[in-house]
Amino acid sequence: MKKMIETDLLVVGGGAAGLCAAAEAAGAGAKVTVIESDLHPGGQLVKQTHKFFGSKDEYAGTRGYKIAGILLDEISSLGDKVDIRTNTTVTGYYPEEGIFTAMKGEEEYYRIKAKKTVVATGAQERLIPFPNNDLPGVYGAGAVQTLMNVYGVVPGKKVLMVGAGNIGLIVSYQLRQAGVEIAAVVEAMPKIGGYWVHAAKIRRLGIPILLRHTIVEAVGDKVIEGAVIQELDDKFQLIGEPRKIDCDVICMAVGLTPTTELFWQAGAKMQYCPQLCGHVPFRDNTMRTSNPDIWVAGDASGIEEASAAMVEGRIAGHSAAKSLGLNVKEESFKEYWTRLDHLRAGEVGEKIRGGICQVLVDGWEA
Amino acid sequence: MGCTCNSNDKEKLFCSGVLVENRPGAILPPQEAWEQKKGGYVVIECPQRIPCNPCATSCPTGAVKPFKDINDVPEIDYEKCTGCGLCVAKCPGLACFVIDLTYSADEAVIKLPYELEPKPAKGQKVKCLNRVGEEVSEGEVSAVTEPLKDQTTVVSVVIPKKLVGEIRAIKVVC
């Protein structure tokens, strides 16, 4: 593996946060390389056919896949500052030499030497254990969205959705838009976890949301033929009679956890933070980790909405560009923090605020 | 959301996304003025404080009062509402409607957001659904527009006036 590329700023992950970091840093004049494992940039944005929440600054009212287009337009308007390499995975970081290794497809390997790096690797889906959860027809919600909204393939005819967070509610709506029936949405908690309006819009289409219910078993021999669900008491113990639901797809939307391998390899100081849904790196208010050459942005820093991920990307890109010695608009930094604070100010931001205060440091000792 | 969730069935319904009574962010217009108002008034059902403000920032007349905090729930200044329905098309939560009670003695028109296939056509009869998707009546489509040209259509449906508090969706059957 002889080939090595050099760049001012390496951005690992070409999703909402990574593209914003790249656009921000390149806007300040940095030469940026974005590494994206998927075949196209945009991350989860490209699968989001619904209109985003937030304010104008986060493109509220605009559909997610269009936001990916807006960010890519911004990047291409900066000329050749940003090199986006798709179908390429960062496979490791070697802190002794400060070198990342990358794999394009499955054949081409090379090394990357970057002065600074923003790690915006996003998140992975969680699953919950139940008998037969390895049968074909049990999907993660992300896979269902990829199938439907990227490739135009419906996953089946009738779906049991597990989880009523924003992803479970939105994917249920998208399935319904694709003409797929939703047998029910089951949610273990006594109230929906996602936005109330997302629940209301599927309820009025006749989709039941069963609170305090869980899946106990997938039914089928070679493929999914149904699911058994059951009620839970307030201690999450099964009560009542198990009930069989007819379905050919079970879609799991039970949460995400940050993708953090590179931070561990970089020796970044980490902490388990339940509010942020997993281990996350400590960071200062510029999103810099304890490794002075590495920043974090987006879901890799804690699970939150895409609107916040985009602002974090801006902050990380801004700070990384500044540390490269480039001229950045100082007032942007304040503005980005004002936007983040607003997004997190309400009740739904309470959990995020509680998590972030555990991992936000005043600054790193030089 | 101010959910207690064990108290009663109403609360359980609300916790699963069904509006059961007026709440801040989900209040029906004042009845007397509403009955006189040609073009109708906006009806927003957004009772949870979430970081989202396009209803207010897209309102051309300021009828959806400007938010102090992006997490505010919408409040309406009915004197300014023209019933234009821009918020119906703009709201990412599909939580805005316009209801005009002046259509006829016992009929009203509801403008609602619609993002499914097939699209209804003007003059077509559609099933009208309540907040849990039950068919509660038939209605006739009086207009289909796409105000923001962004794939959210706004469908106007003539519905029985006595059901304006219930009907919030349609089902198009071919």
Side-chain angles (χ1 to χ4, degrees):
Chain A
M1 191 169 66
K2 288 185 183 137
K3 188 176 157 191
M4 171 130 89
I5 64 162
E6 294 192 22
T7 186
D8 288 346
L9 177 64
L10 170 67
V11 176
V12 186
L19 290 180
C20 285
E24 186 74 16
K31 181 173 170 269
V32 184
T33 303
V34 179
I35 301 292
E36 166 56 49
S37 62
D38 213 327
L39 299 176
H40 40 73
Q44 301 306 304
L45 288 175
V46 301
K47 309 176 193 175
Q48 308 309 327
T49 53
H50 65 285
K51 292 176 177 176
F52 271 40
F53 289 65
S55 76
K56 270 188 193 149
D57 292 329
E58 293 85 36
Y59 316 102
T62 306
R63 298 183 193 281
Y65 71 94
K66 297 223 160 155
I67 297 173
I70 292 169
L71 297 176
L72 290 168
D73 285 348
E74 180 185 348
I75 284 171
S76 58
S77 76
L78 298 167
D80 56 3
K81 285 272 178 354
V82 183
D83 175 17
I84 301 181
R85 297 176 170 230
T86 55
N87 194 23
T88 304
T89 305
V90 169
T91 55
Y93 176 65
Y94 296 81
E96 301 79 11
E97 298 118 87
I99 281 175
F100 289 87
T101 51
M103 172 177 81
K104 182 177 172 61
E106 288 181 355
E107 283 102 35
E108 193 188 328
Y109 295 85
Y110 56 89
R111 294 179 291 168
I112 305 170
K113 178 115 185 146
K115 290 178 187 156
K116 308 290 171 192
T117 301
V118 174
V119 176
T121 40
Q124 293 161 41
E125 291 187 279
R126 288 179 173 168
L127 290 176
I128 52 172
F130 51 86
N132 294 330
N133 73 352
D134 58 344
L135 278 176
V138 180
Y139 288 83
V144 165
Q145 281 192 308
T146 304
L147 268 180
M148 278 199 306
N149 301 345
V150 180
Y151 297 106
V153 176
V154 291
K157 293 192 178 76
K158 195 169 181 180
V159 175
L160 174 72
M161 181 65 66
V162 183
N166 273 332
I167 295 177
L169 298 172
I170 288 168
V171 175
S172 295
Y173 182 71
Q174 293 175 352
L175 281 159
R176 179 67 182 72
Q177 284 181 302
V180 179
E181 196 181 335
I182 311 293
V185 178
V186 291
E187 168 58 55
M189 301 299 286
K191 66 177 182 185
I192 47 158
Y195 291 164
W196 187 91
V197 286
H198 280 315
K201 78 184 185 189
I202 66 170
R203 291 292 262 144
R204 71 175 90 102
L205 296 174
I207 298 172
I209 297 178
L210 306 174
L211 301 174
R212 292 186 191 274
H213 275 74
T214 192
I215 180 167
V216 290
E217 186 181 354
V219 181
D221 182 14
K222 292 198 168 64
V223 294
I224 296 292
E225 288 158 21
V228 178
I229 63 168
Q230 201 169 342
E231 197 173 350
L232 296 167
D233 67 15
D234 51 15
K235 296 191 176 69
F236 298 99
Q237 300 302 304
L238 294 169
I239 51 168
E241 287 300 306
R243 180 148 62 102
K244 165 101 189 285
I245 297 257
D246 282 330
C247 59
D248 61 352
V249 170
I250 296 169
C251 183
M252 307 300 297
V254 291
L256 302 168
T257 192
T259 305
T260 53
E261 289 87 345
L262 290 173
F263 301 110
W264 292 105
Q265 291 182 1
K269 199 177 160 207
M270 306 287 286
Q271 169 145 323
Y272 180 76
C273 190
Q275 295 96 327
L276 302 177
C277 307
H279 279 92
V280 293
F282 282 86
R283 78 294 306 254
D284 65 14
N285 69 353
T286 71
M287 301 307 288
R288 201 176 205 162
T289 69
S290 64
N291 181 319
D293 293 327
I294 298 183
W295 283 253
V296 61
D299 274 359
S301 75
I303 306 303
E304 205 177 345
E305 293 297 314
S307 45
M310 289 189 277
V311 188
E312 284 188 347
R314 296 276 168 193
I315 292 172
H318 183 276
S319 171
K322 189 175 168 184
S323 77
L324 285 165
L326 296 163
N327 265 332
V328 292
K329 283 189 211 141
E330 288 297 334
E331 62 271 25
S332 302
F333 179 74
K334 266 190 196 159
E335 183 214 317
Y336 294 149
W337 265 103
T338 307
R339 274 158 59 180
L340 261 189
D341 287 342
H342 285 161
L343 288 172
R344 292 169 176 163
E347 287 79 348
V348 293
E350 199 179 320
K351 195 176 99 174
I352 297 291
R353 295 197 303 274
I356 286 171
C357 70
Q358 297 173 38
V359 290
L360 186 67
V361 299
D362 286 338
W364 299 107
E365 281 172 37
Chain B
M1 266 191 286
C3 263
T4 50
C5 302
N6 351 1
S7 51
N8 56 43
D9 289 349
K10 262 189 178 177
E11 208 52 32
K12 266 189 199 161
L13 262 176
F14 180 73
C15 290
S16 74
V18 182
L19 192 72
V20 280
E21 60 205 343
N22 279 352
R23 289 179 179 252
I27 291 169
L28 287 175
Q31 191 67 28
E32 210 170 301
W34 195 12
E35 278 171 17
Q36 307 297 320
K37 177 65 173 49
K38 289 237 180 279
Y41 281 140
V42 66
V43 174
I44 302 186
E45 301 194 347
C46 187
Q48 181 189 23
R49 286 170 51 79
I50 55 173
C52 188
N53 66 11
C55 56
T57 55
S58 71
C59 180
T61 63
V64 183
K65 293 183 191 170
F67 288 12
K68 289 193 184 73
D69 169 349
I70 191 175
N71 292 280
D72 286 349
V73 293
E75 265 187 78
I76 316 298
D77 180 346
Y78 292 100
E79 288 191 0
K80 291 182 179 167
C81 181
T82 64
C84 73
L86 260 187
C87 55
V88 179
K90 189 76 181 178
C91 170
L94 307 191
C96 300
F97 308 84
V98 167
I99 300 176
D100 181 353
L101 299 180
T102 67
Y103 184 80
S104 75
D106 48 9
E107 290 165 312
V109 175
I110 181 167
K111 288 184 194 172
L112 45 81
Y114 187 80
E115 295 186 330
L116 302 174
E117 296 292 338
K119 303 275 184 237
K122 190 178 171 181
Q124 191 175 344
K125 289 262 196 287
V126 293
K127 306 279 186 205
C128 298
L129 312 179
N130 65 10
R131 293 187 183 88
V132 289
E134 293 163 344
E135 292 173 15
V136 291
S137 82
E138 271 208 333
E140 187 177 320
V141 174
S142 59
V144 181
T145 61
E146 194 185 337
L148 300 169
K149 301 288 173 248
D150 68 349
Q151 294 164 295
T152 302
T153 44
V154 174
V155 179
S156 303
V157 192
V158 181
I159 59 170
K161 200 179 274 186
K162 62 178 193 293
L163 294 176
V164 292
E166 285 184 47
I167 292 170
R168 291 296 177 268
I170 54 167
K171 184 169 158 188
V172 178
V173 275
C174 287

